[in-house]
Amino acid sequence: MSQKAASQKTAKAAKNVKPATTSTKSLLVENRVFKPAAEFSKKARISSMAQYRKMHEESLRHPEKFFAREAKELAWRKPFKKVLDWKCPNAKWFTGGQLNVSENCLDRHLDGPRKTKAAIIWEGEPGEKRVITYQQLHRDVCRFSNVLKRHKVRKGDRVVIYMPMVPEAAVAMLACTRIGAVHSVVFGGFSAESIKDRVLDSGATVVITADGGYRRGAVVPLKKNVDDALKGGDTPVKTVIVLRRTGQDVHIEEGRDYWWHRELEYVDANCPAVALDSEAPLFILYTSGSTGKPKGILHSTAGYLLHAQMTCKYVFDLRDDDVYWCTADIGWVTGHSYMVYGPLAMGATSLMYEGAPNWPENDRFWRIIEEYAVTVFYTAPTAIRAFMKWGDDWLKKHDLSSLRLLGTVGEPINPEAWMWYHKLVGGGRCPIVDTWWQTETGGHMITPIPGATPTKPGTATLPFFGVDAAIVDDLGKEVGTNEQGKLVIRKPWPSMLRGIWGDKKRYQDTYWSEFKGWYFAGDGARRDKDGYIWIIGRIDDVLNVAGHRLGTAEVESALVSHPAVAESAVVGRPDELKGQGVVCFVTVKEGVKAGRELADALKSHVRKVIGPVATPDEIRFAAALPKTRSGKIMRRLLKQIAAGETLKGDTTTLEDINVIAALAAASGED
Ligand code: WTA
C-alpha cells in the first residue's frame, strides 16, 4: 500500500474510534474510552461485551465444563479424566491426560497447509534474515532432541538455555519438551554468577549456549560467561552445547563442550515426541522476589499450554494470515508464552528479532514492521516511552498500515504513552490490549478482549476467562470503588505456577499465606466505577526496571559482597523511561574512602554479579541507614529521599532521627 493510501486508511479508521469524552490526565478520573472499531469486532472471535461476560461467568461458575471444552483444542495422546483437582496451594489440571508440547506446537500442523507456512521469521541484528517453516522447525527440533538424547538427557532432567535471540533458542526449548526434559532459560543479559546460581538451584546437567550474541552492535560473550559460571567444576553440568553465532574464538573444553553443528552430524531427524502427563514439569524460570535469591517458578505441561494457546486465540485473536511480533526476550516469561509456545500452538507466524530497537538507528522496529507487514505487535511500555523520546519522525518514515492489533506488558502504561501508541503506531485504528500478568501466572490474567472491551488508557481492564480477581484490604475484604488494595486471585487457573523449584515452604509463604486460599500477586490495584482494574505496581520490595523484575534484596546482597561495603539498602525511584531506576544507599566499612571511584566500582560490581539489567542508577553513601527500633530499614523514607521528595510520614520509630537528615543532605556521586 502506498503511503497516501495508508494514511487515508488510518484517517478513516480513526473516525471509527469513539471520541474521548474528556482529556484529563489524572488516573483517577481517566474518562477517555475507546470502543473497538466495528470492522475489528465483526471479524473477532469475541465481538461483544455480552459475549465476554457470558463466557467469563461460565468460566468461573462451571470451570470444569468451560476448560474441558477449551482443552479439546489441544492434541491429546490420552484424554484427561478430571479437569481440576485443587487442594490449596496445589492444583492439578487435566489429570489422567497425556500430551506433548512440541507435538502441539509442531507435528499437528504438518497435516495441512500450515506445513509450509512460516513458523518463525527471524532477523539478526546485523541484518541476516531467515524464514523457517513448520516443517523445517519440526525437523530441526527432532534433530536437536536426538542430540540431547545422545548426551543422555532424560525425562525430568534439567537443561539450562543461555542463548541469544536466534531460532535455535526456540529449537532448544522445544527439543526439551519433546523428550520431557525441563528447560530453564537464563536471560542473555545475566552474568556468570547468575547462571551459576540457576544451574546449582535447578541441578541442571546440560547448558545450551552460543559463542556470542549481538546487542547494539557489540558481541555479548555468552560462552565466556558460561565458562566463568562453570569454573571450578563444582556444578552438576556435564555437557555444554555451543551454537556458532558470532564466530569469535571461544574456549572449548574437551569432553564437556560440543559444537551444535557438529553434533547434528551424528543424528537423524526421526524423534517421536514422548507422551507426558498433564502435570509433568515443563519449565523452570527464575524470577525475583522480595527476599532471598531468585525463585525458580515451575510450570507444568497441559494447563500452561492451554492458557498460552487460549490467550493467543482470544486476546491476540491470532489468525492464520497474521504476522505476529512479540519483542520480548526469550529469557523472560513473555518470550516463553508469547513468542514460542502460544503462537506456535496456534500455528501462527512468530517474528523474532535478535537485537536492540535502536540499532543501527532508532527506527529498526518500524522498519521491521513495514518490511514483514507485521499485523499484531506486542511490546513493553518502557520501549514505547523510549520511542516517544526519540521523536515521531523515525516512525513517520514507515508504513505501519499492516498493523491491526497492539499489545503491552510488563508494567503499568502511563496514559500519555498509551495515547501515543494508539495514535502514532496504531494509526487510531488498532485496539490495544494492556495485559497484566506475571511469570507465576504463565499467561494473561487481566486484559481487554480486543473485539469486545472498550479500553481506557492506562488500565488492563477486566479479568480473562477463569480468572477470579479481587482487590482487598489487609483483612481480605473487598475495597470500595477507586480505593487502593491488594490484588488477589481467588480461584486456581490452568497456567498457574505449580511451585517454587525445591522450596515448598517458600511457595506457600509467598503466594498463599497472606490470604488463606487465595493467590496474592504482590501488586497493588484499584477498581474504577466500571469495574476496570488499574494496576498501581508492586507493593513489596520488588523493583520493575524497564519491565524487568529485580529484587531489592538481590541488589543489596550483591553490594555487600563487595569488600568495601558494610551495609546497603536499595530502593526504586520513578524513572521517565525505565519506570523505575535503582538507587542504592551504602554505608562503607571503617577506613574505606567513599566517593565517585568507589561508586563506579560498586556499579560495575553489581553488573558483574547480577548482570547489566541491575546496574544501579545512583549510589549514595551514608553514615548510617535509617532503621526502626526492631532494626528494619525504613524503605518508605529512603524511597522518598531517592525520589527527591520532601520527607513525609511518621518518623518517631526511627532509631536515629539524625540519620535521615544526614541522608537527605548527602550528595550522591552523580
Ligand atoms: C508488572 C511479566 C501493570 C506487575 C509478564 C507484575 C504490569 C509484574 C503489567 C510481573 C501490566 C506486568 N500493567 N503492571 N500490563 N504487566 N506488570 O513476572 O507488577 O516479569 O507483578 O511478568 O510486572 O513481572 P514478570
Side-chain angles (χ1 to χ4, degrees):
M1 188 187 297
S2 73
Q3 275 298 61
K4 196 164 159 236
S7 69
Q8 276 168 355
K9 188 174 157 190
T10 301
K12 202 169 138 229
K15 283 200 198 123
N16 291 332
V17 172
K18 288 285 168 300
T21 44
T22 65
S23 61
T24 170
K25 278 181 186 160
S26 161
L27 283 185
L28 271 170
V29 284
E30 176 63 68
N31 286 324
R32 288 173 288 196
V33 177
F34 296 86
K35 290 207 175 130
E39 207 185 323
F40 188 100
S41 297
K42 216 165 52 199
K43 295 188 200 139
R45 289 185 177 90
I46 299 175
S47 55
S48 70
M49 281 306 275
Q51 195 185 347
Y52 156 76
R53 289 222 170 83
K54 189 161 164 257
M55 286 174 75
H56 187 252
E57 195 179 300
E58 189 203 359
S59 73
L60 294 192
R61 277 218 190 149
H62 309 290
E64 314 243 329
K65 196 171 142 213
F66 182 90
F67 286 111
R69 191 176 62 233
E70 287 293 333
K72 286 210 182 93
E73 295 194 13
L74 296 180
W76 293 87
R77 283 285 187 86
K78 198 169 142 202
F80 53 89
K81 291 208 173 77
K82 197 166 171 212
V83 173
L84 172 64
D85 189 346
W86 173 231
K87 273 191 216 74
C88 184
N90 300 309
K92 290 186 184 145
W93 284 86
F94 309 112
T95 47
Q98 287 194 327
L99 72 173
N100 182 283
V101 167
S102 90
E103 189 169 276
N104 271 276
C105 290
L106 302 168
D107 306 51
R108 68 163 155 163
H109 304 312
L110 302 184
D111 291 339
R114 283 184 188 147
K115 182 172 166 180
T116 50
K117 171 182 173 174
I120 296 178
I121 295 177
W122 176 78
E123 192 168 294
E125 193 184 75
E128 316 94 310
K129 300 172 203 297
R130 280 164 73 186
V131 177
I132 301 166
T133 64
Y134 272 94
Q135 187 176 31
Q136 289 168 326
L137 188 62
H138 174 262
R139 187 203 54 206
D140 292 350
V141 168
C142 287
R143 290 180 75 196
F144 196 68
S145 302
N146 284 333
V147 170
L148 292 177
K149 286 205 256 185
R150 214 174 98 77
H151 286 278
K152 307 208 168 31
V153 180
R154 304 274 177 264
K155 191 162 120 180
D157 289 353
R158 273 80 62 211
V159 173
V160 159
I161 299 175
Y162 181 66
M163 294 189 77
M165 288 280 289
V166 291
E168 285 80 1
V171 169
M173 292 163 77
L174 287 161
C176 287
T177 71
R178 197 161 188 88
I179 62 173
V182 180
H183 63 66
S184 184
V185 182
V186 177
F187 171 53
F190 278 138
S191 66
E193 287 187 42
S194 297
I195 305 170
K196 183 166 184 174
D197 287 346
R198 286 154 177 75
V199 160
L200 287 176
D201 191 81
S202 63
T205 50
V206 174
V207 176
I208 303 169
T209 188
D211 47 1
Y214 291 103
R215 184 79 193 174
R216 210 161 286 131
V219 170
V220 184
L222 298 171
K223 175 62 166 64
K224 168 146 196 323
N225 291 347
V226 171
D227 290 340
D228 290 346
L230 304 184
K231 214 183 279 166
D234 56 347
T235 74
V237 172
K238 302 250 168 3
T239 307
V240 178
I241 300 171
V242 190
L243 178 80
R244 183 172 278 158
R245 163 73 187 117
T246 47
Q248 84 268 31
D249 274 345
V250 292
H251 166 73
I252 291 291
E253 188 152 319
E254 200 68 34
R256 187 195 70 182
D257 300 350
Y258 301 86
W259 285 107
W260 178 302
H261 58 276
R262 291 258 170 80
E263 290 307 294
L264 288 182
E265 290 168 13
Y266 302 107
V267 296
D268 62 25
N270 179 23
C271 179
V274 179
L276 295 164
D277 290 343
S278 293
E279 281 299 328
L282 179 65
F283 67 79
I284 304 168
L285 185 58
Y286 285 84
T287 191
S288 299
S290 53
T291 54
K293 57 184 171 60
K295 306 173 277 197
I297 303 300
L298 177 66
H299 281 286
S300 68
T301 302
Y304 170 83
L305 183 67
L306 175 65
H307 195 90
Q309 175 179 306
M310 234 172 83
T311 45
C312 281
K313 185 172 89 177
Y314 292 127
V315 179
F316 294 138
D317 204 30
L318 282 189
R319 305 285 162 170
D320 256 327
D321 57 357
D322 271 320
V323 178
Y324 161 83
W325 182 18
C326 162
T327 67
D329 192 279
I330 210 152
W332 307 111
V333 72
T334 309
H336 284 54
S337 304
Y338 297 113
M339 188 186 318
V340 180
Y341 294 121
L344 296 182
M346 285 291 285
T349 296
S350 184
L351 194 144
M352 187 177 192
Y353 164 60
E354 180 186 33
N358 53 352
W359 188 265
E361 287 189 302
N362 292 342
D363 62 346
R364 186 66 181 266
F365 276 19
W366 318 129
R367 248 173 220 287
I368 291 177
I369 291 177
E370 180 171 12
E371 174 162 353
Y372 300 96
V374 170
T375 54
V376 180
F377 180 59
Y378 191 35
T379 194
T382 184
I384 297 170
R385 289 192 295 267
F387 302 141
M388 287 169 77
K389 190 178 140 213
W390 296 336
D392 302 353
D393 289 348
W394 290 107
L395 166 146
K396 286 187 174 150
K397 283 199 284 192
H398 298 280
D399 177 2
L400 307 181
S401 61
S402 56
L403 290 169
R404 65 176 193 89
L405 175 64
L406 305 174
T408 77
V409 59
E411 59 181 308
I413 181 165
N414 43 311
E416 291 75 6
W418 195 101
M419 286 307 299
W420 186 89
Y421 198 32
H422 171 72
K423 282 193 194 143
L424 278 106
V425 182
R429 71 185 177 277
C430 304
I432 297 180
V433 288
D434 171 358
T435 60
W436 176 87
W437 60 294
Q438 308 177 293
T439 306
E440 291 87 341
T441 71
H444 304 151
M445 296 293 278
I446 300 174
T447 173
I449 299 294
T453 318
T455 52
K456 304 180 198 179
T459 164
T461 74
L462 297 165
F464 186 67
F465 306 131
V467 176
D468 183 17
I471 298 164
V472 298
D473 65 16
D474 289 345
L475 298 172
K477 197 171 146 290
E478 278 196 73
V479 298
T481 302
N482 279 330
E483 275 176 44
Q484 194 172 326
K486 294 175 172 173
L487 179 62
V488 294
I489 312 292
R490 296 181 295 195
K491 279 193 165 63
W493 65 100
S495 62
M496 62 187 264
L497 75 166
R498 298 301 197 264
I500 294 177
W501 185 256
D503 202 339
K504 277 199 175 128
K505 186 169 176 309
R506 195 174 176 196
Y507 171 60
Q508 165 82 44
D509 290 351
T510 311
Y511 304 109
W512 304 95
S513 295
E514 183 112 357
F515 304 102
K516 214 168 175 332
W518 297 348
Y519 171 83
F520 172 48
D523 280 357
R526 64 180 181 83
R527 237 179 171 138
D528 69 14
K529 62 176 179 17
D530 299 320
Y532 280 23
I533 295 172
W534 296 73
I535 307 290
I536 317 274
R538 302 292 306 184
I539 49 185
D540 54 14
D541 293 323
V542 173
L543 305 177
N544 191 329
V545 180
H548 301 146
R549 272 165 73 169
L550 271 180
T552 52
E554 274 171 86
V555 184
E556 285 161 8
S557 97
L559 284 165
V560 293
S561 72
H562 189 281
V565 175
E567 199 175 27
S568 76
V570 172
V571 295
R573 73 158 173 228
D575 183 286
E576 223 176 85
L577 278 187
K578 299 193 291 183
Q580 278 191 302
V582 183
V583 180
C584 310
F585 292 92
V586 171
T587 62
V588 292
K589 288 190 181 146
E590 283 275 319
V592 172
K593 191 172 159 282
R596 173 175 284 278
E597 220 168 280
L598 180 60
D600 288 343
L602 292 179
K603 282 186 187 175
S604 42
H605 180 70
V606 173
R607 262 179 93 92
K608 188 173 153 266
V609 176
I610 306 177
V613 265
T615 308
D617 292 279
E618 195 184 347
I619 305 269
R620 294 172 72 147
F621 294 108
L625 297 175
K627 290 188 189 159
T628 61
R629 284 180 207 286
S630 62
K632 266 187 133 183
I633 290 178
M634 300 189 76
R635 289 175 184 284
R636 180 174 46 86
L637 285 165
L638 291 179
K639 270 188 207 157
Q640 290 172 22
I641 295 169
E645 291 170 18
T646 47
L647 297 178
K648 294 191 281 264
D650 181 15
T651 56
T652 50
T653 48
L654 270 188
E655 194 176 58
D656 179 3
I657 194 85
N658 293 328
V659 164
I660 285 293
L663 271 173
S667 55
E669 40 69 47
D670 40 39

